[in-house]
Amino acid sequence: MAPAKITPVLLCGGSGTRLWPLSRKSYPKQFVPLIGDNTLFQASALRLSGATEALSFEKPVVLTNSDFRFIVTEQLAGVGIDPGAVVIEPEGRNTAPAVLAAALRVAETDPEAIMLVAPSDHVVPDPEAFRDAVARGLEAVEAGDLVTFGITPDRAETGYGYLDLSDKPGKDRAAVKLNRFVEKPDAARAEEMVKAGNFLWNAGIFLFRARDIIDAFKTHAKDLMKPVRGALAEAEVDLGFLRLAPGPWGEAEDISIDYAVMEKAENLSVVPYDGGWSDLGGWDAVWRDSGPDENGVVTSGEATAIDCTNSLLRSENERLEVVGIGLDNIMAVAMNDAVLVADMSRAQDVKEAVNALKAKGADQATMFPKDHRPWGWFESLVVGGRFQVKRILVHPGASLSLQSHFHRSEHWIVVEGTAKVTVDKEVKLVSENESVYIPLGAVHRMENPGRVPMVLIEVQTGAYVGEDDIVRYEDIYARS
């Protein structure tokens, strides 16, 4: 029997504020290697790729926002996955409009296509066990059910919603009919549900045929059909991305798929999954899933623990040493522009720190130290009243836009690789240890013609060194 073809749908538009300072609005947790070498997004894409005896995964459909579109394609390329459709949401409208847009898109070519919808920021340490669970859900899908996946609890967790099953899961771990969704409980109720045996954590992962989920939307959330169909009908192709039309999209209700459809539908089944799972909803989850040592300590990067217990110490800068002495139940995460120190029991309150930083106007609340662009990234090393020093990395074959500035001049010093530099009508190659001066107002461009990343130090001087002092004349990435 031929394996069932599955179209993965990866949702990656969240901000992950509870993992600040490593996860921020400009570069959220799904794009960060929190556990292991790959990012959470890369691990999710790899988990839903390739083929087994029962399953064959098609190219993924990715839903994200405009700021992350090049990060998505770059990270997929980094793990050897050819992206299928990358759909750009003009603004976040929660998971219901996103899933409906993906279903309508998939149904254009095959209404019978089986879709596997998953967040891109979860940890699943046993991909084979997860694929086996997907295979166990196929029978229910063929019967017309909407299938979700329930995680067997290993503790009375108050941070997750639960699934109330019609019966306890059997030894074959086959799909079981769902009674109802249960909101995040208090501690006492969580204990009761875990002991009952027929309650599983809600992972927010779904398996269904495209036409079945579209029918469910028509029945339970029909008001979403017109705006989402309109956003697709008026969508524009942009450098291989599909940009949904902002006008109709903005009219769609901001609502999750659980509230819009799943809590109302009657044809729901749950596949139990026992292979380990976490949504990494806080630093306490990162500590737990990183495998604490015999003292309950997890260290990462340039971090050292002395006589510590039940603590997480993490340095995200190779030149910044984090040392903890005599700590218990503490999480400390250090970056070059921000440091978090908190009691582990307050992990869910980190988002309050982000709100406090926003209120005082601190860039660290939302902006990642490295500003990722389609051509690479840059980071500010020093910022003064009339100057700024940056480190810039340009990927092989990539190019910055042809541009000029009103308020600053620039001095570029190449420290790795070779740059092809345009200054007005002059074009030349600049190698390691060589430099070039860009006068104020000059039309200029920087390219990497080589096969290895090119790194340079940029010194800006002038009355204003903000990122909005750019006039673009040509840009291969079609930015305005």
Side-chain angles (χ1 to χ4, degrees), residues 22 246 280 323 441:
L22 186 56
L280 289 189
V323 180

Side-chain angles (χ1 to χ4, degrees), residues 174-462:
V176 181
K177 286 293 183 179
L178 177 68
N179 279 339
R180 62 190 177 99
F181 289 82
V182 180
E183 296 293 332
K184 296 176 182 178
D186 59 26
R189 179 59 178 147
E191 289 280 1
E192 291 175 2
M193 290 192 291
V194 171
K195 289 178 181 178
N198 63 308
F199 289 87
L200 306 179
W201 291 338
N202 180 10
I205 303 172
F206 302 99
L207 184 72
F208 37 61
R209 286 184 300 212
R211 68 172 173 85
D212 291 330
I213 190 62
I214 293 171
D215 287 345
F217 272 98
K218 289 177 180 178
T219 301
H220 305 293
K222 60 180 183 297
D223 289 345
L224 287 175
M225 294 300 300
K226 182 179 178 181
V228 176
R229 281 193 188 278
L232 269 172
E234 300 173 27
E236 296 182 354
V237 177
D238 174 14
L239 293 177
F241 304 104
L242 183 69
R243 287 184 176 274
L244 299 174
W249 187 256
E251 297 174 2
E253 183 181 0
D254 185 333
I255 187 171
S256 73
I257 190 171
D258 281 1
Y259 287 139
V261 173
M262 297 301 175
E263 293 188 0
K264 303 171 184 176
E266 296 181 355
N267 57 328
L268 261 71
S269 292
V270 180
V271 172
Y273 174 67
D274 310 319
W277 169 88
S278 173
D279 70 347
L280 289 189
W283 284 114
D284 54 341
V286 175
W287 166 80
R288 185 167 47 246
D289 288 290
S290 296
D293 65 15
E294 64 274 11
N295 296 314
V297 173
V298 171
T299 59
S300 177
E302 306 305 316
T304 302
I306 300 173
D307 295 331
C308 295
T309 53
N310 305 319
S311 295
L312 170 72
L313 304 179
R314 188 174 181 122
S315 172
E316 297 298 329
N317 187 324
E318 61 185 16
R319 295 180 58 83
L320 195 158
E321 294 284 347
V322 174
V323 180
I325 302 176
L327 303 178
D328 179 58
N329 212 48
I330 293 296
M331 51 190 191
V333 182
M335 300 188 68
N336 60 348
D337 68 335
V339 178
L340 169 71
V341 181
D343 190 274
M344 193 79 75
S345 66
R346 303 294 297 275
Q348 297 301 307
D349 295 331
V350 172
K351 59 185 178 182
E352 300 304 322
V354 177
N355 292 335
L357 291 174
K358 286 180 180 177
K360 65 186 290 187
D363 290 341
Q364 289 91 333
T366 58
M367 300 306 297
F368 201 71
K370 285 184 179 178
D371 195 325
H372 289 78
R373 298 298 173 92
W375 43 260
W377 54 260
F378 71 82
E379 61 180 338
S380 295
L381 303 178
V382 182
V383 181
R386 293 179 59 89
F387 74 93
Q388 179 172 203
V389 181
K390 290 181 177 179
R391 176 167 57 173
I392 300 175
L393 181 145
V394 183
H395 295 308
S399 169
L400 280 69
S401 61
L402 186 66
Q403 60 185 253
S404 66
H405 310 294
F406 286 118
H407 303 289
R408 70 175 185 254
S409 59
E410 297 172 342
H411 197 141
W412 296 343
I413 305 99
V414 177
V415 294
E416 294 181 29
T418 298
K420 180 181 178 182
V421 176
T422 299
V423 181
D424 290 327
K425 295 184 179 180
E426 182 183 6
V427 180
K428 63 179 180 179
L429 294 177
V430 182
S431 300
E432 290 183 13
N433 300 320
E434 295 181 342
S435 63
V436 62
Y437 175 66
I438 314 296
L440 186 151
V443 177
H444 60 281
R445 176 170 18 221
M446 178 199 313
E447 304 171 62
N448 180 358
R451 296 183 178 181
V452 296
M454 183 268 290
V455 180
L456 59 81
I457 302 299
E458 177 182 86
V459 180
Q460 303 175 352
T461 58

Side-chain angles (χ1 to χ4, degrees), residues 75-89:
Q75 292 205 352
L76 287 176
V79 291
I81 293 178
D82 182 14
V86 177
V87 181
I88 308 299
E89 299 177 72

Side-chain angles (χ1 to χ4, degrees), residues 5-9 11 95-96 98-104 106-107 110-118 134 137-138 140-149 204-217 257-258 261-262 265 267-269:
K5 293 183 178 180
I6 307 290
T7 299
V9 176
L11 309 176
T95 54
V99 172
L100 177 56
L104 291 170
V106 170
D110 183 8
E112 300 297 317
I114 300 174
M115 301 167 55
L116 178 60
V117 178
V134 174
L138 291 175
V141 169
E142 292 298 329
D145 278 6
L146 310 177
V147 173
T148 187
F149 294 84
I205 303 172
F206 302 99
L207 184 72
F208 37 61
R209 286 184 300 212
R211 68 172 173 85
D212 291 330
I213 190 62
I214 293 171
D215 287 345
F217 272 98
I257 190 171
D258 281 1
V261 173
M262 297 301 175
N267 57 328
L268 261 71
S269 292

